[in-house]
């Protein structure tokens, strides 16, 4: 099919040239091939979740990977007879490791496009640490730069697992950077042992910028603590949020009350007589 790619090796003829990379490139095809178009439109454009939480045979939704495969096999008898339950048990190509390989390829393509967009221009590296639902400590990395059209862009490029959030650990996880933007925590901006200080010891051309959003947050917190009325207000708001969000029933009840209040306010506004 020209540069469109594809062949019958995997469904009828068999494939025995695993050591020849060119065979895979031929199978994938050119830039306009079905493989590359599917990769661009199916995942990168829509941001769909690639894998599901329950991929068992009896699951109603086995994840995008298997569900798409199930849809494709319905269009071809050869594919149907050689995939999923009809394939050899050790050759179904649906293991988590195999499913992650295309995801890793997509990630590399996204990073490559970001690097090409930055080119030789300067960029900033935004770093912060957080923990996931499994209580694993990780470091989020974002690139901030100006593209060729003059627009400021921020692109999330990944999460790096770290054993702790000490400045030395974070420093070892960062290699080559040109600008730093952290919050004001001591492990970040510390003059002697902070992440900023450790990096400046090796890269004296870098400079540190205290995150403006974090600065604003600190100012707001400081102002509210000086004003009893405002401080009490936010304290009560925090208590209400904690109480309501701790129960699904209370949350639903509050939403229904809020909806009725909004409808009543709209009716009052509509019935208000016009001046004059």
């Amino acid at each position: 099919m020209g540069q469109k790619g594809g062949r019958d090796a995997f469904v009828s003829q068999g494939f025995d040239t695993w050591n020849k990379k060119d065979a895979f490139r031929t199978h994938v095809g050119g830039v306009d091939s079905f493989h590359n178009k599917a990769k661009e439109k199916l995942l990168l454009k829509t941001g769909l979740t690639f894998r599901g939480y329950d991929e068992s045979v009896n699951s109603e939704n086995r994840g995008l990977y298997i569900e798409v495969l199930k849809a494709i096999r319905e269009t071809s008898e050869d594919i149907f007879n050689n995939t999923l339950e009809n394939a050899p048990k050790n050759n179904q190509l649906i293991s988590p490791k195999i499913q992650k390989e295309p995801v890793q390829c997509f990630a590399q393509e996204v990073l490559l496009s970001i690097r090409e967009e930055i080119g030789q221009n300067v960029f900033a590296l935004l770093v912060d640490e957080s923990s996931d639902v499994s209580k694993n400590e990780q470091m989020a990395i974002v690139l901030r730069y100006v593209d060729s059209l003059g627009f400021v862009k921020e692109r999330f490029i990944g999460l790096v697992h770290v054993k702790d959030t000490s400045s030395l650990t974070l420093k070892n996880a960062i290699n080559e950077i040109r600008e730093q933007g952290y919050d004001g925590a001591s492990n970040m901006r510390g003059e002697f042992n902070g992440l900023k200080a450790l990096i400046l010891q090796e890269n004296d051309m870098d400079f540190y910028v205290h995150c403006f959003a974090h600065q604003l947050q600190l100012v707001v917190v400081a102002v509210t603590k000086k004003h009893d009325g405002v401080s009490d207000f936010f304290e009560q708001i925090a208590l209400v949020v904690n109480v309501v969000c701790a129960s699904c029933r209370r949350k639903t009840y509050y939403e229904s009350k809020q909806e009725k209040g909004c409808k009543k306010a709209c009716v009052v506004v509509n019935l208000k007589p016009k001046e004059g």
Side-chain angles (χ1 to χ4, degrees):
M1 301 178 67
Q3 294 296 316
K4 292 294 183 180
R7 54 194 299 191
D8 295 330
F10 290 102
V11 294
S12 59
Q13 300 175 3
F15 191 84
D16 56 3
T17 56
W18 298 96
N19 60 332
K20 298 180 180 179
K21 297 181 180 180
D22 293 338
F24 285 99
R25 295 191 181 98
T26 302
H27 178 78
V28 172
V31 177
D32 197 37
S33 69
F34 295 121
H35 281 76
N36 289 320
K37 286 296 184 182
K39 175 186 68 176
E40 178 182 358
K41 294 181 178 180
L42 188 60
L43 294 177
L44 299 181
K45 292 294 185 181
T46 59
L48 296 175
T49 303
F50 192 68
R51 297 188 58 212
Y53 294 102
D54 183 4
E55 298 180 3
S56 61
V57 177
N58 298 324
S59 174
E60 293 293 333
N61 183 1
R62 302 179 65 185
L64 184 62
Y65 181 90
I66 298 180
E67 293 298 335
V68 170
L69 179 58
K70 288 169 60 178
I72 293 176
R73 69 198 299 256
E74 297 296 332
T75 64
S76 171
E77 184 178 355
D78 290 334
I79 299 178
F80 184 87
N81 294 331
N82 292 275
T83 55
L84 297 179
E85 71 276 0
N86 296 326
K89 296 302 181 181
N90 62 344
N91 194 32
Q92 294 190 15
L93 301 178
I94 59 174
S95 68
K97 182 179 180 181
I98 291 178
Q99 292 190 38
K100 289 178 181 178
E101 289 180 355
V103 177
Q104 294 170 353
C105 294
F106 299 154
Q108 292 299 323
E109 291 294 326
V110 172
L111 292 177
L112 178 61
S113 65
I114 294 175
R115 290 197 298 265
E116 291 177 348
E117 190 172 28
I118 296 175
Q120 298 298 320
N121 296 327
V122 297
F123 62 90
L125 188 67
L126 307 181
V127 176
D128 199 1
E129 73 274 8
S130 63
S131 59
D132 58 19
V133 293
S134 300
K135 301 303 179 183
N136 291 319
E137 202 70 51
Q138 55 192 6
M139 181 175 66
I141 302 177
V142 175
L143 289 180
R144 180 180 174 90
Y145 59 92
V146 180
D147 65 8
S148 58
L149 300 178
F151 293 101
V152 178
K153 291 186 176 181
E154 292 184 356
R155 293 290 184 263
F156 172 76
I157 62 173
L159 293 170
V160 178
H161 176 69
V162 291
K163 61 181 181 180
D164 55 61
T165 57
S166 65
S167 56
L168 183 59
T169 301
L170 298 180
K171 181 259 181 183
N172 291 332
I174 301 174
N175 291 324
E176 298 178 357
I177 65 172
R178 301 188 184 182
E179 182 182 11
Q180 310 165 50
Y182 317 122
D183 60 26
S186 59
N187 66 327
M188 290 292 192
R189 64 173 301 182
E191 184 177 355
F192 301 104
N193 296 318
L195 177 60
K196 175 198 70 173
L198 294 177
I199 292 180
L200 286 175
Q201 291 176 4
E202 299 179 2
N203 303 279
D204 55 2
M205 296 301 294
D206 294 330
F207 59 93
Y208 163 76
V209 177
H210 189 175
C211 174
F212 293 121
H214 190 255
Q215 285 182 323
L216 177 61
Q217 180 191 21
L218 295 178
V219 171
V220 173
V221 172
V223 171
T224 55
K225 288 183 177 180
K226 296 297 183 180
H227 193 288
D228 294 338
V230 177
S231 179
D232 292 340
F233 171 76
F234 280 106
E235 183 178 354
Q236 294 300 320
I237 288 294
L239 292 175
V240 171
V241 171
N242 291 335
V243 171
V244 172
C245 294
S247 170
C248 296
R249 182 179 300 178
R250 286 196 292 265
K251 184 178 179 181
T252 302
Y253 177 79
Y254 176 78
E255 290 176 347
S256 63
K257 287 292 185 180
Q258 187 180 32
E259 182 180 0
K260 291 180 180 179
C262 291
K263 290 181 178 179
K264 183 178 180 180
C266 292
V267 171
V268 172
V269 171
N270 291 332
L271 295 179
K272 184 179 180 180
K274 296 182 179 180
E275 296 182 0

